[in-house]
Amino acid sequence: FIAVIGLGGTIAKKYARKAGTRELDIESPAAERILARCPVSIPIQVYSLLRLDSLDMDNGHRQQVYDACMKCPAHRILLEHGTDTAKKTAEKLDLGGLESKTIVIYGGSVPEQFRNSDGDFHFGSALTAVQILPPGVYISMHGIVGHHSQIYKDQETGMFKKLNVKPKTPVIQESEKPYWLIELKPGC
């Protein structure tokens, strides 16, 4: 089975139910609600370990995450994590002892309960990644997946990126278009 361990983060936030406030509280793991909307055909068990914004996580919390991953009977683990310090947690998990496990960290820039959230996409990408990657600690966000040592969060854009990889949009000249694209006609 695949284990999902909820740690909190923006993806799991919701508006507080207190009148006259705009505060966001951290709820149960977003993975529970995503799986209720989008059932999958593989066994998944969702656990809630922490309910923290990742900026509030300290080394003691990261040790709790490490211990939970060590004790978890699953060899494929998703960590639902806040985006700001996901890399710090990944580094902690990669210090040794978890070499037989594939761990993929994902999160969201917008709470999962909001219509424009990226949470469902990040969860789905991470779920696929954890099934096909070899043991190690990875981050999966914004359409990229990679070993945590090759991923960083761009502080200007808030997007996760791979080191030394500059995304570029290819411009395809008419003469370079694949035959199947040239032959498509409207209304096909």
Side-chain angles (χ1 to χ4, degrees):
F1 74 99
I2 294 170
V4 179
I5 301 175
L7 306 175
T10 298
I11 192 171
K13 289 183 178 179
K14 66 172 182 130
Y15 274 114
R17 294 192 175 144
K18 299 172 225 153
T21 183
R22 291 188 198 158
E23 293 177 21
L24 294 171
D25 291 333
I26 295 179
E27 197 172 64
S28 59
E32 291 176 348
R33 294 178 296 284
I34 294 169
L35 288 167
R37 287 191 304 273
C38 310
V40 297
S41 59
I42 53 175
I44 296 176
Q45 184 65 52
V46 181
Y47 305 94
S48 181
L49 179 65
L50 302 172
R51 290 184 180 191
L52 292 173
D53 186 290
S54 70
L55 291 172
D56 296 327
M57 287 183 83
D58 59 27
N59 289 336
H61 296 116
R62 287 188 179 79
Q63 185 63 49
Q64 282 182 268
V65 175
Y66 178 89
D67 293 344
C69 289
M70 282 290 290
K71 293 175 187 172
C72 183
H75 286 279
R76 299 191 178 277
I77 301 170
L78 295 176
L79 293 180
E80 187 174 292
H81 198 295
T83 62
D84 287 309
T85 66
K87 184 138 173 99
K88 285 183 183 179
T89 300
E91 290 165 353
K92 168 67 177 173
L93 296 174
D94 206 19
L95 291 178
L98 296 169
E99 292 84 3
S100 68
K101 300 194 180 206
T102 303
I103 300 170
V104 179
I105 299 173
Y106 74 96
S109 303
V110 176
E112 165 271 329
Q113 293 186 353
F114 290 14
R115 181 182 299 218
N116 64 337
S117 176
D118 51 5
D120 289 18
F121 176 73
H122 291 180
F123 174 77
S125 298
L127 181 59
T128 300
V130 80
Q131 294 177 74
I132 62 175
L133 290 170
V137 182
Y138 304 89
I139 294 176
S140 174
M141 292 200 228
H142 300 117
I144 61 164
V145 178
H147 188 268
H148 72 88
S149 64
Q150 296 299 308
I151 304 289
Y152 71 99
K153 183 175 181 181
D154 183 319
Q155 295 304 312
E156 287 183 31
T157 65
M159 303 268 301
F160 280 79
K161 298 180 178 180
K162 280 192 174 180
L163 292 174
N164 301 321
V165 176
K166 293 187 172 114
K168 139 176 141 174
T169 305
V171 177
I172 300 174
Q173 302 300 322
E174 190 67 34
S175 62
E176 298 173 336
K177 284 186 179 177
Y179 74 91
W180 54 267
L181 188 57
I182 295 171
E183 294 175 4
L184 289 179
K185 303 209 181 340
C188 292

